[in-house]
Amino acid sequence: MKKQNYKNHLKFYTPHHFIFLPLLGFMMVWGIVNAYKEEDNRLEWVLFALLSFCIFYFAIMVRQHYALGNQDRIVRLEFRLRYFELYGKSASTIEPQLSFGQIAALRFTDDIQFKELLALALKDNLKPDDIKKRITLWQPDTMRL
């Protein structure tokens, strides 16, 4: 596996992102085009396109909803544990001051730079992308969904 860094940290699931969803998108367009071409079967083609859209939307929402919700909880728990390991105290006073995006961005850094970037995030309210760009020793997350 390639070493993970800022430029390649996004993850795609090939069957879902590059086969299933494009196929459903094509089916929607095909249904709309045929609804205009075939006046005798317009209702059927409109229903076909509408059903394709509903399946497309449902496929995106269900896949992401559960996985990301669970992943967000785990990321917060990882932050709390890491904060406790590095500072020896609860993160309960720090965590509410950070957005989830900031917490998620901090998990890509090593322990030394974690302290520095956490302080900057709290002081300067750094955006998650700015936190990621400042990381010099990227810690990969290869277990994401």
Side-chain angles (χ1 to χ4, degrees), residues 42-100:
R42 180 167 287 158
L43 179 61
E44 289 86 353
W45 283 114
V46 167
L47 291 175
F48 176 82
L50 186 62
L51 179 64
S52 297
F53 172 78
C54 289
I55 294 170
F56 180 80
Y57 181 78
F58 184 71
I60 291 172
M61 298 313 294
V62 168
R63 180 186 183 276
Q64 297 298 335
H65 177 72
Y66 294 115
L68 292 178
N70 193 29
Q71 184 170 289
D72 290 355
R73 291 176 58 107
I74 293 168
V75 167
R76 286 185 183 280
L77 290 171
E78 287 173 350
F79 173 81
R80 292 173 190 156
L81 177 63
R82 189 175 196 190
Y83 187 87
F84 184 77
E85 287 175 345
L86 294 174
Y87 292 95
K89 56 186 178 180
S90 172
S92 61
T93 57
I94 298 297
E95 187 179 1
Q97 298 175 46
L98 298 167
S99 70
F100 175 76

Side-chain angles (χ1 to χ4, degrees), residues 109-125:
T109 188
D110 67 327
D111 289 345
I112 295 167
Q113 202 174 20
F114 176 86
K115 290 180 175 184
E116 173 191 327
L117 289 175
L118 175 60
L120 279 173
L122 291 168
K123 186 179 119 198
D124 299 337
N125 196 25

